[in-house]
């Protein structure tokens, strides 16, 4: 197997030459890493004090590294992982753009320029985190401002904003810059949508001037492999939030949505069907006090599948939980 995800790894046991990049989750300082590391500065609610997750390639695989307009990246063959952080205080918004909108635009414009320079046009999966995601500034929720900047950058980079768009998540944490991690590869994704939900890129404008740019899931194919990325999935049916105020029902609805996405992904899979128990998951919980309720519902449905629970704000203020997952075959 060429690309694999190591969850809960320790820095000392990691062969640095095999790590493409990864994630640190927790409120302490991130470890010093020689590879691109996205720091998600928020408590891990279950599964340890802090968490280190890494994408690794086999011993002896080629490895190149670089930094391009503030994007830290590593590349092995045709797989590239990168991280870019942009503080809103450090951007100079163009007229009519808010600092968050500008920061999102710049992050994505830099990613697209790097990928163009590296000859790897295809974004597979994005991890977006920002402070105060539900806060309002200039009369518009900050997540909606983020969507405007992201969408503008996709268009400026001559990428489609509908259809074949990457899998993603977008969550809020207490503080810090806008941070975006990404995995890119040599082939287009196979997009997967959810028949229970309106595609996010087609959400009506009551959710903001620009619809979010992500697929419900993406199948990707490194040489000899199939990876399924299920995007952040919440209690949305059609385009509307369901079960506001009821965290158990929201968790169950999110899992119903993931099951529906897996059924669609199974139709397009090269490696066989996907069942709920086949994936590894990360669950984002808005209120720490809801952890036990979320865990109970998840355990009923997912059994022993690995789930990490993280404190984070979901991108609509009425959403209490969001769950994402991946399967690497
Ligand atoms: C939703 O379904 C919930 O803006 O990149 C999930 C996954 C959500 C990704 C994004 C947002 C994003 O609309 C929110």
């Amino acid at each position: 197997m060429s690309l694999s995800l190591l969850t809960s790894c320790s820095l000392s046991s990691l062969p640095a030459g095999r790590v493409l990049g990864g994630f640190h989750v927790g409120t302490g300082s991130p470890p010093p890493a020689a590879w691109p590391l996205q720091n998600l500065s928020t408590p891990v609610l279950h599964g340890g004090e802090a968490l280190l997750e890494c994408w690794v390639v086999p011993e002896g695989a080629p490895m190149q590294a670089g930094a391009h307009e503030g994007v830290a990246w590593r590349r092995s063959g045709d797989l590239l992982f990168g991280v870019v952080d942009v503080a809103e205080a450090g951007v100079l918004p163009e007229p009519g753009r808010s600092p968050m909108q500008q920061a999102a635009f710049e992050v994505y414009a830099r990613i697209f320029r790097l990928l163009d320079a590296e000859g790897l046009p295809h974004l597979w999966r994005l991890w977006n985190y920002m402070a105060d995601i539900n806060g309002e500034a200039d009369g518009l929720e900050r997540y909606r401002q983020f969507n405007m900047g992201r969408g503008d950058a996709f268009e400026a980079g001559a990428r489609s904003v509908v259809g074949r768009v990457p899998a993603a998540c977008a969550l809020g944490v207490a503080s810090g810059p806008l941070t975006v991690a990404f995995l890119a590869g040599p082939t287009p994704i196979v997009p997967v949508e959810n028949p229970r939900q309106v595609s996010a890129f087609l959400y009506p404008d009551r959710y903001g001037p620009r619809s979010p740019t992500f697929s419900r899931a993406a199948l990707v194919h490194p040489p000899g492999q199939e990876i399924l990325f299920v995007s952040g999935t919440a209690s949305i049916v059609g385009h509307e939030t369901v079960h506001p105020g009821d965290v158990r029902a929201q968790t169950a609805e999110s899992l119903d949505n993931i099951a529906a996405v897996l059924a669609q992904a199974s139709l397009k899979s090269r490696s066989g069907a996907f069942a709920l128990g086949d994936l590894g998951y990360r669950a984002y919980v808005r209120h720490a006090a809801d952890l036990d309720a979320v865990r109970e519902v998840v355990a009923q449905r997912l059994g022993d599948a690995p789930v990490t629970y993280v404190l984070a704000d979901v991108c609509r203020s009425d959403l209490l939980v969001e769950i994402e997952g991946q399967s690497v075959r």
Side-chain angles (χ1 to χ4, degrees):
M1 186 174 289
S2 44
L3 186 63
S4 48
L5 179 65
L6 295 184
T7 55
S8 57
C9 34
S10 74
L11 196 65
S12 53
S13 67
L14 272 174
R18 289 181 50 200
V19 183
L20 265 191
F23 312 88
H24 170 264
V25 190
T27 49
S29 354
W35 27 269
L37 178 63
Q38 184 176 47
N39 188 40
L40 180 44
S41 176
T42 197
V44 177
L45 295 175
H46 180 79
E49 282 239 310
L51 191 83
L52 199 58
E53 285 186 1
C54 299
W55 289 97
V56 300
V57 295
E59 186 76 57
M63 188 66 81
Q64 291 171 268
H68 185 276
E69 296 185 279
V71 186
W73 60 270
R74 271 193 170 198
R75 173 178 181 166
S76 180
D78 283 341
L79 301 172
L80 189 148
F81 181 90
V83 178
V84 52
D85 293 355
V86 170
E88 290 154 69
V91 299
L92 211 88
E94 282 172 35
R97 277 193 185 148
S98 68
M100 170 52 74
Q101 192 182 346
Q102 185 70 33
F105 180 84
E106 288 191 9
V107 160
Y108 277 85
R110 290 182 200 177
I111 292 172
F112 291 138
R113 284 193 293 266
L114 167 67
L115 294 180
D116 288 347
E118 288 292 316
L120 289 178
H122 302 293
L123 265 180
W124 285 354
R125 194 352 177 154
L126 289 133
W127 291 265
N128 304 288
Y129 303 100
M130 67 202 81
D132 195 20
I133 192 169
N134 302 125
E136 269 203 20
D138 312 313
L140 193 64
E141 187 184 33
R142 285 162 53 78
Y143 171 63
R144 300 178 180 196
Q145 299 176 22
F146 166 81
N147 280 324
M148 295 173 76
R150 173 172 57 177
D152 285 351
F154 268 74
E155 287 193 339
R159 263 84 175 172
S160 175
V161 292
V162 297
R164 204 182 289 270
V165 291
C169 60
L171 285 301
V173 293
S175 61
L178 171 63
T179 175
V180 178
F182 60 98
L183 187 65
T187 50
I189 66 149
V190 177
V192 179
E193 290 298 304
N194 179 353
R196 307 178 80 237
Q197 297 185 307
V198 173
S199 293
F201 47 79
L202 298 179
Y203 281 166
D205 63 9
R206 58 181 265 208
Y207 302 102
R210 226 189 209 291
S211 305
T213 311
F214 71 97
S215 289
R216 296 301 179 186
L219 283 163
V220 302
H221 300 96
Q225 284 188 286
E226 181 162 73
I227 301 178
L228 174 66
F229 288 110
V230 175
S231 292
T233 304
S235 183
I236 294 173
V237 176
H239 54 70
E240 278 171 306
T241 300
V242 294
H243 320 299
D246 184 343
V247 74
R248 286 173 191 274
Q250 285 202 13
T251 306
E253 197 73 52
S254 303
L255 294 170
D256 286 349
N257 277 327
I258 292 178
V261 169
L262 295 185
Q264 294 301 304
S266 297
L267 299 174
K268 300 182 172 185
S269 171
R270 300 180 187 171
S271 63
F274 295 98
L276 279 173
D278 297 343
L279 280 73
Y281 296 91
R282 191 185 280 177
Y284 299 98
V285 178
R286 182 185 289 276
H287 303 299
D290 287 340
L291 175 66
D292 290 345
V294 173
R295 284 186 63 201
E296 238 176 73
V297 178
V298 166
Q300 279 164 14
R301 295 290 301 277
L302 298 186
D304 289 338
V307 188
T308 307
Y309 294 85
V310 169
L311 184 71
D313 294 329
V314 188
C315 66
R316 290 183 188 180
S317 46
D318 52 8
L319 290 171
L320 301 170
V321 62
E322 180 173 306
I323 304 171
E324 65 191 20
Q326 74 284 317
S327 163
V328 181
R329 289 174 170 169

